[in-house]
């Protein structure tokens, strides 16, 4: 590889042009644009790789990735190249107020991929423009962590359909204006993946795809600073494997083998997989557990700088070969760390386009339990601004447990004790604290650290399950309003709101998982219900709970779409009001400013109207139910669990 030692920033484009010539493809429609994109994003590809690998490895890897780019682009169906062109004209499609996500397991939602296509109308009723289908690539047989133990990235789970079905579904979704997101599990593969099998057969090349240690010396040194993700059913971070004759790094379950991303071969494999999936019509890859990719002794081996270099390079590969693809980072980490996934400094806007806003989710639940919004404001005001081309994925529930990521300093600043507040939240949502409205369960209680997480559906956690059981009508009313408030915060934050399947029908916990041997040990399955289509049949009947909640969620989406100021390019700024139970969220936007007020309690509340700031002295419009809060004795008056979105006329 002597000829590539002195790469200049334009070299990726030169490599791409050369590869096109070799493939006799310079006259292919769009080839010039491909080279132009390589000129634009090639420097990013190089910068990402050079941030991670030493010169010689980096040189060779850049050449290989340029080759992957051309192969990937040549294999890209024409319809998707057209989609690339359209998306390049609307690069902010996932930031716009009409962007609305829906998240579901294909099988639990509709049986098969084909079945999902049959329910596109349902998705459109909710205003869905983005569908995340939970893991659907072929997993290992038996226990597979809900599909997050992938045995083949190029095959679909047999019971869901085939790759051809996935392509057909993507095309049908595109026709309906819906983008498709699937998971890309990058940190690990199933023990049954071909790479792991080859490693177990003793092939050196594939052993180097993993972190394998002959004895406990290294694992013990690492363990000193590594946390445990599943202390309950998968303690420790290494698993002895007889066949490979060593300790294998397994952050999650013992059958999920962590990949060695310091091996350039692994990087190439994933560049190819990324383009392979993009070429099936996937619009967004959810980068699963991305924080864990890079291991470093003496640290928790999360959020290491190399993770961002690798993402930058992969993102550039996609930007050149399949520019309509975007990345969503699943990094459930603290505020200071999570912003790096959208990019900080030179990386700003050059890594993932979307990232989960875990803090917002946790703080909504905390505010509902305490009827106090001060901690939410404290935690969120610390967030540095994100790059203007990126967006948060906001959510109330997902398929995972809720980890009580409350920062001790934030808690202290509002006069609370961090560990005590975390314990309180876990008790509250397990329905154990006195007066709790919630019906959840504890997940992964860690005796050593006192840490405990929560499982349960949104409806059960906001109190709908308890209210229905007790037949208490006012209690049910409060619970429904709590759900509306929480989703108003999620829909009103800016960024793409993710509606988790079943929340639109207030589905309660599904305890049936306990009878399924593969699920019984993991209570996250209680909030992964099957879609009861008979119940969904009542969604247009306002006299039913489902009908009411469905209309409520739909209305939030309609209103959201009508407000240009909800474009994710600007920040949401949460501010305290004169009343701890009332949170304000301010959005300044050239298209018009927006002030949101949320009463997180079941009591009437009053607050100083000066929070309306720049809207004051003008005629106000309220967008959610059309009622501008009245002012009495110089105080704004807000009903229980009020959610108010105000602009000036
Ligand atoms: C992500 C998934 C979670 C899974 C883990 C390991 O956090 O959301 O469900 O257990 O990654 O893949």
């Amino acid at each position: 590889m002597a000829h590539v030692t002195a790469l200049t920033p334009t070299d990726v484009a030169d490599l791409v042009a050369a590869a096109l010539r070799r493939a006799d493809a310079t006259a292919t429609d769009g080839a010039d644009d491909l080279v132009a994109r390589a000129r634009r994003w090639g420097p990013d590809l190089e910068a990402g790789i050079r941030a991670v690998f030493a010169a010689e490895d980096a040189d060779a890897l850049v050449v290989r990735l340029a080759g992957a780019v051309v192969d990937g682009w040549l294999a890209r169906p024409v319809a998707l190249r057209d989609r690339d062109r359209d998306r390049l004209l609307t690069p902010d499609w996932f930031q716009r107020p009409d962007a609305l996500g829906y998240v579901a397991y294909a099988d639990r939602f509709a049986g098969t991929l084909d079945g999902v296509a049959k329910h596109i109308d349902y998705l459109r009723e909710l205003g869905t423009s983005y569908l995340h289908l939970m893991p659907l690539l072929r997993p290992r047989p038996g226990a597979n962590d809900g599909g997050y133990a992938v045995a083949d990235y190029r095959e679909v789970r047999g019971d869901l359909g085939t790759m051809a079905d996935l392509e057909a579904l993507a095309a049908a979704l595109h026709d309906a204006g819906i983008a498709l997101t699937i998971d890309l599990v990058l940190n690990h593969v199933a023990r049954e993946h071909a790479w792991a099998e080859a490693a177990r057969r003793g092939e050196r090349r594939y052993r180097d795809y993993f972190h394998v240690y002959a004895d406990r010396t290294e694992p013990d040194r690492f363990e000193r600073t590594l946390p445990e993700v599943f202390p309950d059913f998968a303690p420790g971070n290494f698993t002895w494997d007889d066949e490979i004759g060593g300790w294998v790094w397994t952050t999650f379950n013992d059958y999920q083998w962590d990949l060695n991303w310091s091996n350039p071969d692994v990087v190439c494999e994933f560049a190819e997989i990324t383009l392979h999936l993009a070429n099936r019509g996937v619009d967004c890859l959810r980068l699963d557990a991305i924080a864990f990719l890079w291991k470093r002794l003496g640290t928790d081996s999360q959020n290491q700088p190399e993770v961002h270099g690798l993402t930058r390079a992969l993102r550039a590969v996609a930007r050149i070969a399949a520019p309509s693809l975007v990345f969503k980072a699943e990094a459930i980490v603290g505020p200071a760390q999570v912003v790096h996934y959208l990019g900080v400094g030179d990386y700003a806007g050059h890594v993932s386009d979307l990232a989960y806003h875990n803090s917002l989710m946790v703080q909504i639940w905390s505010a509902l339990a305490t009827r106090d919004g001060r901690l939410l404001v404290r935690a969120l005001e610390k967030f540095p601004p994100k790059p203007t081309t990126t967006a948060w994925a906001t959510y109330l529930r997902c398929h995972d447990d809720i980890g009580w990521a409350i920062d001790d300093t934030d808690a202290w600043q509002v006069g609370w004790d961090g560990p005590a507040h975390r314990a309180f939240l876990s008790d509250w949502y397990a329905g154990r604290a006195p007066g709790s409205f919630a019906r959840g369960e504890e997940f992964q209680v860690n005796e050593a650290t006192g840490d405990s997480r929560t499982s349960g559906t949104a409806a059960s956690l906001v109190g709908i399950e308890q209210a229905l059981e007790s037949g208490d009508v006012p209690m049910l009313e409060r619970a429904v309003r709590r759900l509306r408030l929480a989703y108003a915060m999620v829909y009103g934050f800016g960024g793409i709101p993710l509606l988790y399947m079943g929340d639109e029908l207030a589905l309660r916990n599904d305890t049936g998982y306990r009878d399924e041997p593969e699920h019984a040990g993991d209570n996250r399955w209680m909030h992964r219900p099957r879609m009861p289509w008979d119940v969904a049949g009542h969604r247009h009947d306002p006299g039913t709970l489902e009908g009411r909640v469905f209309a409520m969620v739909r209305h939030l989406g309609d209103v959201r779409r009508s407000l240009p100021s909800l474009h994710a390019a600007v920040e949401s700024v949460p501010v305290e009001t004169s009343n701890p139970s009332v949170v304000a969220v301010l959005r300044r936007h050239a298209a018009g400013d927006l002030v949101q007020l949320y009463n997180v309690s079941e009591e009437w509340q009053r607050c100083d109207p000066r929070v309306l700031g720049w809207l004051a002295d003008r005629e106000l419009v309220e967008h959610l139910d059309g009622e501008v809060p009245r002012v009495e004795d110089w105080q704004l008056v807000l009903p229980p669990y009020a959610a108010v979105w105000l602009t000036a006329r």
Side-chain angles (χ1 to χ4, degrees):
M1 296 283 169
H3 62 289
V4 289
T5 43
L7 287 170
T8 65
T10 53
D11 280 345
V12 173
D14 295 343
L15 292 167
V16 165
L20 280 171
R21 279 194 298 276
R22 275 198 305 277
D24 214 1
T26 44
T28 314
D29 241 6
D32 288 349
D33 288 346
L34 176 72
V35 177
R37 290 198 298 272
R39 241 173 252 298
R40 169 70 178 87
W41 294 108
D44 253 60
L45 190 160
E46 271 206 70
I49 293 301
R50 291 193 187 285
V52 177
F53 295 95
E56 230 166 86
D57 275 350
D59 290 346
L61 187 49
V62 169
V63 174
R64 290 172 72 187
L65 292 176
V69 160
V70 174
D71 293 345
W73 181 76
L74 286 173
R76 191 151 176 82
V78 172
L80 293 175
R81 292 192 199 157
D82 290 347
R83 188 166 176 79
D84 289 339
R85 185 202 50 214
D86 294 348
R87 284 298 201 209
L88 285 170
L89 296 173
T90 45
D92 63 340
W93 63 271
F94 57 88
Q95 297 184 293
R96 291 151 85 116
D98 62 0
L100 247 178
Y102 190 81
V103 182
Y105 289 88
D107 53 333
R108 300 195 154 234
F109 178 61
T112 61
L113 295 179
D114 236 20
V116 174
K118 298 204 172 79
H119 289 292
I120 286 178
D121 287 350
Y122 181 83
L123 297 173
R124 287 306 305 160
E125 273 185 45
L126 289 162
T128 307
S129 69
Y130 160 114
L131 174 65
H132 171 200
L133 289 179
M134 297 294 296
L136 49 74
L137 300 177
R138 185 163 70 74
R140 75 192 289 269
N144 56 40
D145 191 23
Y148 286 104
V150 179
D152 192 336
Y153 292 88
R154 290 181 170 81
E155 244 182 63
V156 165
R157 212 175 93 184
D159 60 320
L160 296 179
T162 62
M163 260 303 166
D165 295 334
L166 185 68
E167 289 179 58
L169 173 61
L173 289 168
H174 294 168
D175 286 344
I178 301 175
L180 175 63
T181 298
I182 69 168
D183 286 85
L184 181 61
V185 185
L186 304 153
N187 178 66
H188 44 264
V189 295
R191 183 176 181 272
E192 291 70 19
H193 188 285
W195 304 333
E197 294 199 325
R200 286 194 275 126
R201 280 196 307 271
E203 286 185 42
R204 183 78 233 179
R205 172 184 150 99
Y206 287 102
R207 191 179 169 104
D208 291 344
Y209 274 41
F210 302 96
H211 301 275
V212 187
Y213 305 93
D215 59 41
R216 281 297 306 185
T217 318
E218 286 292 289
D220 285 343
R221 292 175 67 203
F222 275 110
E223 283 287 16
R224 268 179 232 140
T225 51
L226 290 177
E228 290 179 303
V229 179
F230 296 142
D232 189 348
F233 48 59
N237 287 277
F238 299 87
T239 303
W240 174 260
D241 194 278
D242 269 339
E243 282 177 51
I244 209 166
W247 291 90
V248 182
W249 197 308
T250 54
T251 300
F252 295 89
N253 290 290
D254 53 13
Y255 51 77
Q256 287 162 301
W257 286 21
D258 286 40
L259 288 157
N260 173 13
W261 278 84
S262 69
N263 179 348
D265 288 347
V266 170
V267 181
C268 280
E269 296 275 12
F270 275 92
E272 288 169 21
I273 290 169
T274 296
L275 296 182
H276 181 80
L277 296 172
N279 285 350
R280 309 280 76 75
V282 171
D283 300 282
C284 172
L285 288 172
R286 172 190 180 275
L287 307 179
D288 180 68
I290 185 167
F292 296 85
L293 244 51
W294 196 267
K295 322 295 185 195
R296 176 163 281 118
L297 193 63
T299 72
D300 60 0
S301 292
Q302 289 184 46
N303 310 309
Q304 298 300 309
E306 288 82 354
V307 172
H308 308 301
L310 291 164
T311 314
R312 182 176 195 162
L314 285 180
R315 185 71 192 90
V317 163
R319 279 193 149 118
I320 303 169
S324 57
L325 184 73
V326 300
F327 283 1
K328 177 174 62 170
E330 192 247 348
I332 308 305
V333 300
Q337 294 299 338
V338 75
V339 289
H340 286 271
Y341 293 84
L342 297 175
V344 170
D346 179 40
Y347 284 66
H350 293 243
V351 276
S352 289
D353 308 270
L354 292 156
Y356 284 91
H357 204 322
N358 181 63
S359 293
L360 175 65
M361 184 274 291
V362 166
Q363 292 298 340
I364 293 174
W365 288 112
S366 165
L368 289 177
T370 56
R371 282 77 160 177
D372 189 323
R374 289 172 304 159
L375 183 61
L376 179 149
V377 173
R378 188 66 64 254
L380 298 188
E381 72 187 3
K382 281 201 323 211
F383 270 72
K386 56 179 172 35
T388 54
T389 53
T390 63
W392 293 115
T394 60
Y395 63 114
L396 183 64
R397 284 304 288 119
C398 71
H399 70 291
D400 279 327
D401 52 289
I402 306 173
W404 297 110
I406 300 282
D407 182 75
D408 286 348
T409 310
D410 294 345
W412 178 79
Q413 283 179 352
V414 297
W416 298 345
D417 173 63
H421 184 52
R422 290 192 290 273
F424 161 76
L425 290 171
S426 154
D427 278 352
W428 183 271
Y429 284 107
R432 282 199 314 246
S436 168
F437 47 70
R439 279 284 166 80
E441 275 181 22
E442 279 187 308
F443 178 73
Q444 302 290 321
V445 182
N446 189 330
E447 303 296 348
T449 61
D451 181 44
S452 156
R453 286 127 72 178
T454 297
S455 285
T457 67
S460 291
L461 295 181
V462 296
I464 290 177
E465 182 171 328
Q466 198 183 113
L468 286 174
E469 265 176 35
S470 61
D472 183 329
V473 175
M475 192 195 263
L476 181 62
E477 182 60 29
R478 284 196 295 277
V480 170
R481 286 188 66 85
R482 232 175 254 131
L483 184 63
R484 174 178 178 271
L485 175 90
Y487 261 107
M489 288 177 135
V490 166
Y491 275 50
F493 199 75
I496 189 160
L498 305 178
L499 175 61
Y500 184 61
M501 191 208 90
D503 288 358
E504 73 277 23
L505 300 170
L507 293 192
R508 274 81 69 202
N509 293 333
D510 172 9
T511 48
Y513 79 93
R514 293 183 193 138
D515 305 324
E516 294 175 43
E518 271 159 33
H519 298 161
D522 183 345
N523 70 18
R524 289 178 298 173
W525 287 97
M526 68 195 278
H527 52 256
R528 300 171 180 175
R530 290 194 175 73
M531 185 66 159
W533 285 104
D534 53 332
V535 174
H538 304 149
R539 68 186 180 278
H540 300 136
D541 178 353
T544 63
L545 172 67
E546 299 75 48
R548 192 169 159 207
V549 171
F550 192 86
M552 191 172 96
V553 170
R554 201 172 166 179
H555 180 63
L556 285 174
D558 291 343
V559 176
R560 187 185 134 77
R561 240 189 320 281
S562 72
L563 290 171
S565 47
L566 279 172
H567 191 290
V570 305
E571 295 296 312
S572 276
V573 183
V575 294
E576 273 187 33
T577 68
S578 59
N579 179 337
S581 292
V582 181
V583 178
V585 178
L586 313 179
R587 293 184 61 78
R588 299 219 75 174
H589 194 289
D593 300 324
L594 175 65
V595 177
Q596 305 171 7
L597 296 174
Y598 299 107
N599 171 2
V600 297
S601 81
E602 59 268 71
E603 310 291 337
W604 285 82
Q605 300 290 349
R606 295 165 165 253
C607 76
D608 192 320
R610 274 175 296 184
V611 69
L612 297 182
W614 63 83
L615 295 185
D617 300 331
R618 282 181 285 168
E619 193 191 339
L620 298 182
V621 186
E622 201 291 320
H623 295 268
L624 287 176
D625 23 52
E627 275 183 50
V628 176
R630 63 173 197 280
V631 178
E632 250 176 46
D633 303 330
W634 303 105
Q635 294 279 301
L636 279 173
V637 182
L638 293 162
Y641 292 123
V644 173
W645 293 0
L646 295 165
T647 60
R649 191 180 294 284

